[in-house]
């Protein structure tokens, strides 16, 4: 897949601005102990691999892991920073795979690419399918999945 330059900045990205292959620039995620602890508390997801450093030392990973769904939620939540007011709603989260651990107190990089656009002619919006890759601090692929969002066309100016 040939990738267009990343879409960045604070301006709204409307449906007409989006093309298949386009890379969307999302910020890195800092997987801090506080973030992981807050997620564990919020969802009562307190498996010791995430919250007990002494236990985590005894596992094959040797240290605390961030919750996989936490990283998914953070990356999907950041889509609003790309689309701003053009984002109508999330349509789906497709297959998501976990390839390797994300450790607490590390930073992960998010790669996001436009896979496909389904926009009926004359419609006010269209479905944009994205592939999201989460790269661990060491550069390895840690997670990969897809999501679709409904994005508005540029609003028509009043006559």
């Amino acid at each position: 897949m040939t990738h267009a330059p990343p879409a960045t900045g604070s301006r709204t990205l409307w449906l007409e601005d989006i093309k298949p292959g386009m890379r969307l620039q999302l910020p890195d995620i800092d997987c801090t102990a506080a973030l992981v602890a807050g997620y564990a508390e919020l969802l009562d997801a307190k498996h010791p691999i995430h919250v007990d450093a002494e236990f985590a030392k005894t596992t094959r990973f040797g240290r605390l892991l961030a919750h996989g769904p936490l990283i998914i939620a953070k990356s999907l939540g950041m889509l609003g920073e790309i689309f701003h007011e053009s984002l109508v709603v999330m349509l789906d989260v497709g297959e998501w795979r976990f390839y390797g651990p994300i450790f607490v107190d590390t930073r992960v990089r998010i790669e996001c690419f436009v896979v496909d656009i389904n926009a009926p002619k004359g419609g006010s919006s269209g479905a944009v399918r994205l592939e999201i890759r989460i790269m661990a601090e060491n550069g390895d692929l840690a997670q990969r999945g897809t999501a679709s969002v409904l994005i508005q066309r540029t609003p028509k100016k009043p006559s």
Side-chain angles (χ1 to χ4, degrees), residues 13-37:
L13 194 60
W14 299 100
L15 186 63
E16 298 87 350
D17 302 321
I18 303 167
K19 305 290 181 239
M22 176 184 269
R23 179 173 181 237
L24 303 177
Q25 188 72 47
L26 292 171
D28 294 346
I29 298 173
D30 287 320
C31 298
T32 64
L35 177 66
V36 172

Side-chain angles (χ1 to χ4, degrees), residues 1-6 18-24 112-116 131 133:
M1 174 187 293
T2 303
H3 301 295
I18 303 167
K19 305 290 181 239
M22 176 184 269
R23 179 173 181 237
L24 303 177
C112 182
F113 302 95
V114 176
V115 174
D116 190 31
E131 179 179 328
R133 300 175 194 159

Side-chain angles (χ1 to χ4, degrees), residues 41-105:
E41 190 63 35
L42 177 67
L43 295 176
D44 197 25
K46 298 176 184 169
H47 187 284
I49 193 71
H50 305 297
V51 297
D52 182 340
E54 292 306 312
F55 172 83
K57 286 179 189 175
T58 69
T59 70
R60 70 184 189 140
F61 300 107
R63 57 197 276 207
L64 291 172
L65 299 180
H67 301 76
L70 165 63
I71 307 306
I72 297 169
K74 283 288 289 183
S75 62
L76 294 176
M78 289 188 290
L79 293 175
E81 296 179 31
I82 295 295
F83 297 111
H84 301 284
E85 64 186 282
S86 70
L87 178 61
V88 178
V89 69
M90 176 150 301
L91 296 172
D92 69 47
V93 176
E95 181 176 329
W96 208 277
R97 301 283 312 237
F98 298 89
Y99 297 98
I102 296 174
F103 296 107
V104 172
D105 289 328

